[in-house]
Amino acid sequence: MAGFDPPHQSDTRTIYIANRFPQHGHYVPQKFADNRIISSKYTVWNFVPKNLFEQFRRVANFYFLIIFLVQLMIDTPTSPITSGLPLFFVITVTAIKQGYEDWLRHKADNEVNGAPVYVVRSGGLVKTRSKNIRVGDIVRVAKDETFPVDLVLLSSDRVDGSCHVTTASLDGETNLKTHVAVPETAVLQSVANLDKLVAVIECQQPEADLYRFVGRITISQQTEEVVRPLGPESLLLRGARLKNTKEIFGVAVYTGMETKMALNYKSKSQKRSAVEKSMNSFLIIYLIILLFEAILSTILKYAWQAEEKWDEPWYNEKTEHERNSSKVEYVFTDKTGTLTENEMQFRECSINGIKYQEVNGKLTPEGFSEDSPDGNRHSLMKEEELFLKAVCLCHTVQINTDQTDGADGPWHANGIAAPLEYYASSPDEKALVEAASRVGVVFTGTSGDSMEVKSLGKPERYKLLHVLEFDPNRRRMSVIVESPSGEKLLFTKGAESSILPRSKSGEIDKTRIHVDEFALKGLRTLCVAYRRFTPEEYQEIGKRLHEARTALQQREERLADVFNFIERDLELLGATGVEDKLQEKVQETIEALRLAGIKVWVLTGDKHETAVSVSLSCGHFHRTMNILELVQHKSDSTCAEQLRQLAKRIKEDHVIQHGLVVDGTSLSLALREHEKLFMEVCKNCSAVLCCRMAPLQKAKVVRLLKTSPEKPITLAIGDGANDVSMIQEAHVGIGIMGKEGRQAVRNSDYAIARFKFLSKLLFVHGHFYYIRIATLVQYFFYKNVCFITPQFLYQFFCLFSQQTLYDSVYLTLYNICFTSLPVLIYSLFEQHVHPHVLQSKPVLYRPFLHTQDMYFVFVQLLSSGSAWFAIILIVVACLFLDVVKKVLYRHLQPTSTEKAQLTEAGSGINCLDSMCCFSDGETACTSVRRMLERLMGRCSPTRVNRCGISLNSLCCRRFSYKLEPDEPAAIDV
């Protein structure tokens, strides 16, 4: 079950800000969910029945329960404690463990629901608990606090009503995102003004899509009403954190289990491993065999007791004698914080055809050391300074407002300001701006429409004229600024495929070579260029931009045309190489998984370009791999056509390896009506990368593979709250203890510190687990067959009287010695291959992937007709020989007791038979026929009476079988 899906009768909801409902009498307020978050599974009232129900869904527990109940209801030779006590112990320990885990979830829920928050009520700020927030309340959130509900932003401490948030716990992105309020509410920055606000919000009902929100706000201003649209840029999601903004005010629109964060979480479910499922099927077969033996023994017993006087209690007298981790086929992994350290680092750059590296805060040309004359410089060349200024001006970086006042503070010896705290929506931009500040060109912030830069301590102010936003089609962004000298400049940066073809001058060929070298090192590359405008050119550009931005029809197409017109005839400045620092041994681990036959899928919320770059650097995608893309599709028809083209390309180029890149929007379309085709394409690709994924979409992808006809075993690994749904959906869920909290760890099956430990978990522990459990399960069935079969055969010698073959003490010792000790010792010490060998040779994992007959001996036994025939033949032969032996002995060498019984019985008896007596003139065949008649309920009591054998003589004869022929007398009972 995916998340909480509340029922709604209407497609929209109407929210009155500050809960100022209409005064007319016929208005009925809508009912909304409260703001309590519930992640627990049990309550005090349903824990016992719900937990018992889940535990007895396991066939093993249910089997022993049935055995225990049968022993309670009927008179059995073994005590009910034999089955009941171990069952009670297992059920109790499991219930305590699951109860404790759920208590921890209750405790975490209470901490979240009881967190203090401030809401605007009665003209002031009122402190309350998070669970008490209602839809319509105006909530105040301070810097570095998480949003307790889904809020529509009303105002912030900034004049323009903007704020910055990070959504690491929702989509894994640690970069800042900018949200803005509508102009009419942005000016309401005090509690008193907000308390006077009269407005109504109409928006869609709750849905799980993190990136979609449609609504509008109607603001009453004196005699008129102003209607403004609301979109995702106005919605602050629960779980996100406020950054770089002192405080904001927002109105609660979705609360509790209706928030987008809650809708993207899966409820905690109980997983069944492949080993347990296999054991369940074998236990069912074993149960059927036991039932067959019990039914056969019962039929024979009642057939033997068909005559009433034989039904005596003499025959009741006692005599004095890991699971899934071993078969994983698909690994689904998050990117940020799982494969990477979540840190960007500037490594190299190319300026005017020369490669540079950063050495101790200085740009040093390649091949020069810090001690060389050219390497030890305290100034920047003209080209270097222009390149760094372009990096510091062409971005969307924000600076921490708490530090701007200290920007004129202490300077280092080389004239560089102390490090500032930057925030950016792109991690590359942040790394580049920080690198530029270290080498002497510092971006010190924005003031109105100006951007301030310090070049080696000298402040410069650039007026920001236009921003040409980044989009995936252009794959670049640009800014148009006015320099201190009044010159109009265009600075642009983007992918080399979008910058180099538009450059007409600069070291283009050398830069292209350097970019390829950076890419081979796994660095994320960007090219930087600029253009100077004459006054006439700038006037033409300004006119075209204004017309495109104010157009009502085809605005996006017009803007794209204008951007292409502006971003041409560029002069190339250089390129940058930034490393998204990978965790230790990530490349080796992914390569080992590939050698083991495991396919790796990367599911991330990052942008397309970022995700592809990291996949290349970590070895998920190879440079020689043919990368296929299924991105930016808006309709079913285009998505289906692209899927068919991809399938055709894969068939045509089946020799080379393929990698697939798909984004969240295209994935939703592909899964809607083209699931089979999409799965065909994915399974023919060596690696798959899914970007811009919401948490619930990650779980859907895992479920898609998990429920495919092949039923592969899946493993999901992640480090953040946005990975919880994926971790819970997979057969094996692994949490990494990273920088994004412990929610992934708390909801996982296993917790590890680094991605590199995944190889040891699978190749060593998974291998050992598989071998041990496979052997021990076969041993379990073998032990039970050896225990039950003699008891079953013994019934033929005690007239199916339920008489036990084993003493209770022997039975207890048998279970201890042959069940507990071998399992304990074998599971602790069995290592048929050294762990180092298993980890260094991943190919040893391959034999386990596609073998379903884990319990080879047992499966072969069940599926082999010759084996069953041999068993039946052995049983029949043993019984037949024993019967023949006893009949011959009675005929040829009768004991004295048998002779006395013959004399007492009279002359009507010709022989003795353990099944039935027959009189003169009857052959042995007639006796067999009469025995079969008795089994079918047709045996005549008169015929039996003719035998003339008393009950006492029968008892004596029964026990006389145990005496040797040469003994003088039998025991008289």
Side-chain angles (χ1 to χ4, degrees):
M1 184 182 71
F4 173 80
D5 193 10
H8 297 291
Q9 297 180 351
S10 173
D11 293 335
T12 61
R13 56 170 52 188
T14 302
I15 301 164
Y16 292 87
I17 294 181
N19 291 306
R20 291 189 176 88
F21 302 114
Q23 299 301 318
H24 48 77
H26 62 271
Y27 173 75
V28 178
Q30 289 179 280
K31 293 183 179 180
F32 304 115
D34 59 28
N35 198 39
R36 289 182 303 158
I37 287 292
I38 302 174
S39 63
S40 57
K41 190 176 181 180
Y42 305 106
T43 64
V44 176
W45 310 109
N46 70 6
F47 173 72
V48 173
K50 191 172 182 180
N51 186 265
L52 288 178
F53 171 76
E54 290 182 348
Q55 291 206 55
F56 285 117
R57 287 173 58 192
R58 300 178 184 270
V59 176
N61 292 343
F62 184 73
Y63 164 72
F64 285 107
L65 176 66
I66 295 299
I67 296 297
F68 174 66
L69 294 177
V70 169
Q71 290 177 330
L72 283 178
M73 290 186 292
I74 65 175
D75 186 19
T76 59
T78 57
S79 171
I81 297 177
T82 306
S83 300
L85 190 60
L87 177 65
F88 176 78
F89 176 77
V90 171
I91 295 297
T92 303
V93 171
T94 305
I96 292 173
K97 170 184 170 292
Q98 294 180 352
Y100 175 71
E101 291 176 349
D102 203 64
W103 176 77
L104 293 179
R105 287 192 285 269
H106 273 282
K107 186 178 179 181
D109 290 345
N110 291 335
E111 290 179 1
V112 173
N113 295 330
V117 294
Y118 290 91
V119 297
V120 178
R121 290 176 183 168
S122 304
L125 278 178
V126 178
K127 186 177 181 180
T128 184
R129 296 184 182 276
S130 175
K131 64 182 180 182
N132 298 327
I133 298 177
R134 300 169 297 174
V135 172
D137 282 345
I138 299 176
V139 183
R140 172 187 174 272
V141 180
K143 181 182 177 181
D144 292 328
E145 291 182 352
T146 58
F147 300 114
V149 292
D150 287 353
L151 301 168
V152 167
L153 180 61
L154 295 178
S155 65
S156 70
D157 63 318
R158 300 171 183 267
V159 178
D160 59 355
S162 64
C163 69
H164 303 288
V165 303
T166 176
T167 57
S169 62
L170 295 173
D171 56 13
E173 292 191 18
T174 56
N175 313 313
L176 287 187
K177 295 180 174 64
T178 302
H179 293 259
V180 293
V182 297
E184 286 73 17
T185 62
V187 297
L188 306 177
Q189 296 180 323
S190 65
V191 174
N193 291 333
L194 285 168
D195 190 57
K196 299 176 184 177
L197 176 64
V198 179
V200 179
I201 292 177
E202 295 173 274
C203 62
Q204 63 186 149
Q205 293 289 5
E207 65 173 29
D209 191 344
L210 296 176
Y211 309 108
R212 186 172 183 270
F213 177 71
V214 179
R216 64 182 180 183
I217 181 171
T218 304
I219 306 165
S220 299
Q221 293 182 341
Q222 298 177 353
T223 58
E224 63 175 353
E225 291 185 346
V226 178
V227 180
R228 295 288 185 183
L230 297 174
E233 71 281 354
S234 302
L235 185 66
L236 305 173
L237 301 178
R238 177 172 190 154
R241 189 178 296 272
L242 182 65
K243 289 288 188 181
N244 202 22
T245 308
K246 290 183 179 179
E247 66 176 10
I248 64 98
F249 291 93
V251 58
V253 290
Y254 304 130
T255 54
M257 301 306 292
E258 294 183 343
T259 59
K260 290 183 179 290
M261 182 185 73
L263 295 176
N264 273 280
Y265 283 169
K266 284 173 53 65
S267 60
K268 186 74 174 177
S269 59
Q270 197 161 3
K271 297 180 181 180
R272 308 281 183 198
S273 67
V275 173
E276 183 180 346
K277 291 176 182 177
S278 300
M279 284 183 59
N280 286 345
S281 60
F282 296 144
L283 279 171
I284 292 174
I285 297 173
Y286 184 68
L287 182 60
I288 292 173
I289 296 174
L290 288 181
L291 289 175
F292 170 75
E293 292 181 349
I295 292 172
L296 179 61
S297 299
T298 303
I299 292 174
L300 294 175
K301 170 192 173 182
Y302 284 102
W304 185 255
Q305 294 178 302
E307 188 172 352
E308 185 175 334
K309 71 175 185 177
W310 286 17
D311 192 11
E312 296 292 337
W314 65 269
Y315 51 81
N316 284 330
E317 293 293 330
K318 293 185 179 180
T319 61
E320 293 299 326
H321 37 71
E322 251 279 132
R323 296 189 186 233
N324 269 343
S325 56
S326 53
K327 298 176 70 176
V328 172
E329 296 180 53
Y330 286 88
V331 169
F332 299 91
T333 175
D334 181 39
K335 180 191 72 68
T336 307
T338 303
L339 300 179
T340 67
E341 293 283 5
N342 208 359
E343 296 177 2
M344 293 289 184
Q345 293 184 350
F346 172 81
R347 290 301 182 194
E348 297 181 70
C349 66
S350 172
I351 304 175
N352 198 30
I354 302 173
K355 281 205 295 187
Y356 291 82
Q357 295 177 337
E358 182 187 356
V359 179
N360 295 331
K362 302 182 183 68
L363 277 183
T364 304
E366 187 180 42
F368 292 90
S369 64
E370 186 181 3
D371 298 331
S372 63
D374 291 336
N376 189 14
R377 298 176 303 166
H378 297 281
S379 61
L380 295 171
M381 297 175 61
K382 180 180 178 181
E383 296 82 1
E384 297 171 351
E385 186 176 5
L386 184 59
F387 174 84
L388 294 173
K389 286 182 179 179
V391 169
C392 284
L393 294 173
C394 185
H395 57 71
T396 58
V397 174
Q398 300 290 329
I399 194 170
N400 190 339
T401 54
D402 296 338
Q403 293 189 341
T404 52
D405 296 336
D408 295 323
W411 293 82
H412 296 303
N414 58 356
I416 303 173
L420 298 174
E421 186 177 359
Y422 295 110
Y423 297 105
S425 58
S426 169
D428 302 79
E429 291 182 342
K430 180 184 176 183
L432 291 175
V433 172
E434 288 175 341
S437 68
R438 290 193 297 268
V439 297
V441 181
V442 184
F443 169 65
T444 57
T446 58
S447 176
D449 58 352
S450 298
M451 303 180 72
E452 298 176 356
V453 175
K454 286 185 177 180
S455 178
L456 296 178
K458 179 183 177 182
E460 297 181 3
R461 184 184 295 266
Y462 290 81
K463 185 177 181 180
L464 182 62
L465 302 175
H466 298 284
V467 177
L468 313 186
E469 297 84 1
F470 175 88
D471 67 68
N473 294 323
R474 288 167 45 242
R475 303 184 68 185
R476 59 186 180 273
M477 77 156 291
S478 303
V479 294
I480 300 177
V481 297
E482 182 179 343
S483 67
S485 61
E487 192 175 15
K488 305 295 191 299
L489 300 173
L490 168 77
F491 291 111
T492 182
K493 74 173 189 297
E496 69 276 6
S497 60
S498 64
I499 299 295
L500 296 181
R502 295 180 167 272
S503 301
K504 69 173 185 178
S505 60
E507 298 290 343
I508 299 176
D509 294 333
K510 290 183 179 180
T511 303
R512 181 180 283 110
I513 295 173
H514 292 164
V515 167
D516 292 338
E517 291 176 356
F518 294 162
L520 289 175
K521 295 178 182 178
L523 303 181
R524 299 157 63 110
T525 59
L526 289 174
C527 288
V528 182
Y530 85 110
R531 178 185 176 186
R532 301 177 188 271
F533 294 123
T534 63
E536 294 78 14
E537 287 176 335
Y538 177 72
Q539 187 175 3
E540 175 67 18
I541 288 171
K543 180 181 178 182
R544 290 196 177 196
L545 277 173
H546 178 74
E547 291 176 353
R549 284 175 171 163
T550 56
L552 297 178
Q553 303 292 332
Q554 298 180 336
R555 179 180 298 178
E556 293 182 356
E557 291 80 0
R558 287 192 173 191
L559 280 175
D561 293 338
V562 176
F563 289 171
N564 288 329
F565 174 76
I566 297 172
E567 297 166 331
R568 59 188 177 89
D569 299 334
L570 302 175
E571 184 174 345
L572 185 63
L573 292 174
T576 62
V578 177
E579 179 185 24
D580 185 0
K581 188 177 180 182
L582 296 175
Q583 289 190 14
E584 184 183 3
K585 295 186 177 180
V586 166
Q587 290 177 310
E588 293 86 343
T589 303
I590 291 179
E591 184 60 29
L593 293 174
R594 185 177 287 112
L595 291 175
I598 300 174
K599 291 188 176 182
V600 180
W601 289 33
V602 175
L603 312 180
T604 178
D606 278 359
K607 296 177 182 177
H608 172 213
E609 293 79 9
T610 305
V612 172
S613 178
V614 173
S615 286
L616 289 169
S617 61
C618 72
H620 180 236
F621 283 165
H622 288 298
R623 296 290 170 182
T624 58
M625 189 179 287
N626 183 22
I627 307 299
L628 309 175
E629 293 190 352
L630 183 68
V631 294
Q632 300 177 20
H633 289 284
K634 301 294 179 63
S635 65
D636 280 335
S637 58
T638 58
C639 182
E641 179 61 28
Q642 180 67 10
L643 278 172
R644 284 190 284 269
Q645 291 180 5
L646 294 179
K648 183 179 178 181
R649 286 183 60 184
I650 291 174
K651 290 180 180 179
E652 293 174 350
D653 303 332
H654 62 277
V655 178
I656 62 175
Q657 289 186 330
H658 299 275
L660 178 66
V661 182
V662 57
D663 61 9
T665 305
S666 303
L667 178 70
S668 299
L669 295 174
L671 298 183
R672 189 177 301 169
E673 295 181 2
H674 316 290
E675 183 177 307
K676 186 176 180 181
L677 182 59
F678 176 71
M679 284 299 301
E680 180 185 348
V681 172
C682 289
K683 289 181 179 179
N684 289 323
C685 292
S686 303
V688 178
L689 169 64
C690 301
C691 54
R692 301 305 292 173
M693 299 284 286
L696 204 57
Q697 283 183 311
K698 293 184 178 183
K700 287 181 179 179
V701 171
V702 176
R703 191 185 309 122
L704 179 67
L705 266 295
K706 182 179 169 183
T707 58
S708 61
E710 294 81 7
K711 304 293 182 185
I713 302 301
T714 58
L715 180 148
I717 180 171
D719 70 317
N722 60 308
D723 304 316
V724 169
S725 298
M726 173 179 70
I727 289 172
Q728 291 179 346
E729 182 62 44
H731 292 96
V732 181
I734 298 179
I736 291 182
M737 294 175 286
K739 300 178 181 179
E740 299 181 19
R742 294 290 184 268
Q743 293 192 49
V745 170
R746 287 200 298 265
N747 289 274
S748 63
D749 303 309
Y750 302 96
I752 58 179
R754 283 286 188 268
F755 184 80
K756 66 179 181 180
F757 297 127
L758 180 61
S759 60
K760 185 174 183 180
L761 179 66
L762 292 177
F763 303 152
V764 179
H765 297 294
H767 187 101
F768 286 160
Y769 171 80
Y770 186 90
I771 295 297
R772 291 168 182 172
I773 198 69
T775 304
L776 290 176
V777 167
Q778 294 181 82
Y779 169 79
F780 168 79
F781 287 111
Y782 166 76
K783 184 265 298 183
N784 280 278
V785 168
C786 292
F787 171 68
I788 293 297
T789 303
Q791 178 73 48
F792 174 69
L793 295 177
Y794 179 65
Q795 298 304 306
F796 287 92
F797 297 91
C798 66
L799 303 181
F800 309 97
S801 59
Q802 302 175 355
Q803 187 171 349
T804 180
L805 178 63
Y806 310 109
D807 188 79
S808 297
V809 175
Y810 175 76
L811 181 62
T812 304
L813 291 175
Y814 178 82
N815 280 322
I816 292 175
C817 297
F818 287 90
T819 302
S820 304
L821 294 180
V823 171
L824 180 63
I825 295 173
Y826 188 85
S827 61
L828 287 178
F829 300 109
E830 170 61 19
Q831 291 187 359
H832 69 295
V833 180
H834 195 277
H836 178 72
V837 176
L838 290 174
Q839 198 162 1
S840 61
K841 298 183 181 298
V843 291
L844 295 176
Y845 189 84
R846 280 180 178 266
F848 296 143
L849 292 181
H850 305 291
T851 173
Q852 296 299 325
D853 50 351
M854 182 179 81
Y855 318 117
F856 180 76
V857 174
F858 191 68
V859 171
Q860 291 296 314
L861 176 64
L862 294 177
S863 61
S864 174
S866 58
W868 282 108
F869 178 75
I871 292 173
I872 296 172
L873 188 63
I874 291 172
V875 172
V876 172
C878 292
L879 294 176
F880 177 76
L881 292 176
D882 190 72
V883 171
V884 170
K885 175 184 175 183
K886 294 186 182 301
V887 170
L888 291 176
Y889 267 108
R890 290 175 195 153
H891 278 290
L892 302 176
Q893 297 180 357
T895 63
S896 57
T897 304
E898 290 173 341
K899 292 177 181 178
Q901 291 171 346
L902 284 173
T903 304
E904 181 183 350
S907 60
I909 301 301
N910 199 15
C911 68
L912 292 174
D913 185 75
S914 61
M915 288 295 186
C916 191
C917 301
F918 52 91
S919 55
D920 264 340
E922 289 185 340
T923 63
C925 294
T926 308
S927 174
V928 173
R929 177 179 58 80
R930 188 160 60 250
M931 180 186 70
L932 295 176
E933 290 176 351
R934 289 188 58 191
L935 291 177
M936 295 185 293
R938 299 177 184 176
C939 187
S940 173
T942 58
R943 284 195 155 201
V944 178
N945 289 338
R946 285 190 299 168
C947 297
I949 301 175
S950 66
L951 178 62
N952 290 334
S953 65
L954 178 63
C955 294
C956 294
R957 191 187 322 163
R958 175 71 183 99
F959 282 94
S960 68
Y961 291 168
K962 302 179 181 180
L963 302 175
E964 297 298 330
D966 55 351
E967 290 183 0
I971 299 174
D972 189 4
V973 180

